[in-house]
Amino acid sequence: QERLVESGGGLVQTGGSLRLSCVASGRTFSMYVTGWFRQTPGKEREFVAAITQNGINIFDTDSVKGRFTISRDNAKNTVYLQMNSLKPEDTAVYYCAATNSRVGLRTSSQYAYWGQGTQVTVSS
């Protein structure tokens, strides 16, 4: 089994928090990087954050910096995305993905394995 399964999405008000989880199985959890992307209908998939398998190296983006934190618990085969101070523009389907690539880690095309997505909706 080689799967990534996201959970933790939901409906929250502006300023609220959510913690997304990505549970990996098979080779996906041991891959070099696990990342989070988000997508709104009609827009391109957007990189959010990524973390290496050893948890040491973090990749982020200015749009969520200071509000979102990526982490992992290898004993639970889980990568987390803690989202605080949520804004309506954070509304999207959030996907986790895994890759063994060492380059282009903020680019969706570098990721071969994807979860099914979890919906995050932030109301004003």
Side-chain angles (χ1 to χ4, degrees):
Q1 186 180 14
E2 299 175 354
R3 298 186 65 188
L4 298 165
V5 180
E6 306 97 330
S7 63
L11 174 64
V12 298
Q13 296 184 41
T14 297
S17 298
L18 286 172
R19 188 195 197 196
L20 305 185
S21 298
C22 175
V23 179
S25 61
R27 293 186 299 166
T28 54
F29 192 73
S30 62
M31 287 186 173
Y32 181 65
V33 169
T34 300
W36 288 93
F37 292 78
R38 63 188 183 185
Q39 188 166 24
T40 299
K43 296 183 179 180
E44 294 295 316
R45 192 174 300 164
E46 177 188 11
F47 173 80
V48 177
I51 187 169
T52 53
Q53 198 279 333
N54 58 20
I56 294 175
N57 301 108
I58 301 294
F59 308 86
D60 56 18
T61 186
D62 288 343
S63 63
V64 303
K65 189 176 182 64
R67 299 187 297 119
F68 293 8
T69 302
I70 190 169
S71 63
R72 68 189 301 149
D73 184 344
N74 287 351
K76 298 181 178 179
N77 289 4
T78 302
V79 174
Y80 302 99
L81 185 68
Q82 178 67 48
M83 306 186 297
N84 299 325
S85 301
L86 284 163
K87 306 174 181 179
E89 51 262 45
D90 295 318
T91 295
V93 177
Y94 284 71
Y95 300 89
C96 64
T99 182
N100 278 324
S101 177
R102 268 66 170 171
V103 298
L105 297 176
R106 294 179 172 86
T107 303
S108 62
S109 62
Q110 296 298 315
Y111 292 78
Y113 296 90
W114 293 84
Q116 85 290 342
T118 185
Q119 177 71 48
V120 172
T121 302
V122 185
S123 63
S124 59

